Amino acid sequence: MTLTYVGVGTNIDRDKHVKAAWAELKALGRNLRSSTIYHCDPVGFDSHAFYNFVIELETSLSLTEFSHELRKIEFKWGRSENAHKLQDRTLDLDIVLFGDVVSKHSPELPRSDIFKYPFVTQPLYDLCPARVIPQDGRTVSEIWQKMEHLDSLSVVDIEL
């Protein structure tokens, strides 16, 4: 089993897609835990606010299999196959960490968003502040302490 962390984002029918992400990921692993769900403005484009959070789970799937399953889930819930990075999302599922795997190729691991975006760092901090980021060597807590704009997030109360 591989301990993995999946970043979840949605800004279309958000409550529905938050619950869909939880249900779909439950089918891919076990021992799921969710961070707090956060409301945040889109980064890099003007649109509706997002709900972002991270789900921790253990999976027996390989990285390739897991990545493929996430794409299938995104398509199932309305993501276009030619979707662009800076646009609205029904459901966006990104592998943030996959065990101790380090990869520069798709999927990039650990995902560089950990170091850039509060909507990834804060939820990861909620789940595993002492976890050491592979190859980087810092803990999630150390990265979180240096993160700016954490105040741009607000907590959303949704029952999973």
Side-chain angles (χ1 to χ4, degrees):
M1 298 298 277
T2 304
L3 185 61
T4 188
Y5 295 84
V6 177
V8 180
T10 176
N11 76 336
I12 298 173
D13 204 356
R14 298 175 301 184
D15 289 9
K16 171 183 159 184
H17 291 112
V18 161
K19 292 175 182 179
W22 180 261
E24 294 284 357
L25 288 174
K26 244 179 138 170
L28 298 183
R30 65 179 195 199
N31 298 325
L32 275 71
R33 293 192 315 138
S34 176
S35 71
T36 299
I37 299 168
Y38 294 95
H39 175 279
C40 62
D41 291 329
V43 175
F45 68 109
D46 291 325
S47 191
H48 309 287
F50 277 81
Y51 285 176
N52 291 98
F53 63 113
V54 170
I55 295 176
E56 172 191 271
L57 70 146
E58 295 174 350
T59 186
S60 60
L61 297 174
S62 71
L63 175 57
T64 301
E65 293 167 330
F66 191 73
S67 183
H68 180 69
E69 289 300 316
L70 293 185
R71 292 288 288 167
K72 282 174 36 181
I73 293 167
E74 289 175 335
F75 296 149
K76 174 182 176 181
W77 289 95
R79 182 171 178 162
S80 168
E81 285 198 43
N82 56 358
H84 301 287
K85 183 168 178 65
L86 300 177
Q87 71 180 60
D88 294 330
R89 294 274 192 260
T90 52
L91 192 54
D92 188 25
L93 303 172
D94 295 319
I95 303 170
V96 178
L97 294 168
F98 193 84
D100 290 327
V101 173
V102 174
S103 172
K104 300 256 186 254
H105 305 290
S106 184
E108 169 202 34
L109 294 169
R111 192 167 179 89
S112 61
D113 292 355
I114 295 168
F115 310 103
K116 298 178 195 172
Y117 302 116
F119 62 80
V120 176
T121 312
Q122 179 67 56
L124 201 55
Y125 176 80
D126 293 347
L127 290 169
C128 58
R131 182 168 178 85
V132 175
I133 302 299
Q135 195 171 36
D136 180 78
R138 291 178 289 171
T139 64
V140 171
S141 180
E142 289 171 322
I143 295 164
W144 176 83
Q145 289 170 8
K146 301 220 184 287
M147 181 65 54
E148 295 180 20
H149 307 294
L150 290 169
D151 59 347
S152 65
L153 305 175
S154 58
V155 173
V156 177
D157 187 24
I158 296 178
E159 187 74 32
L160 292 177

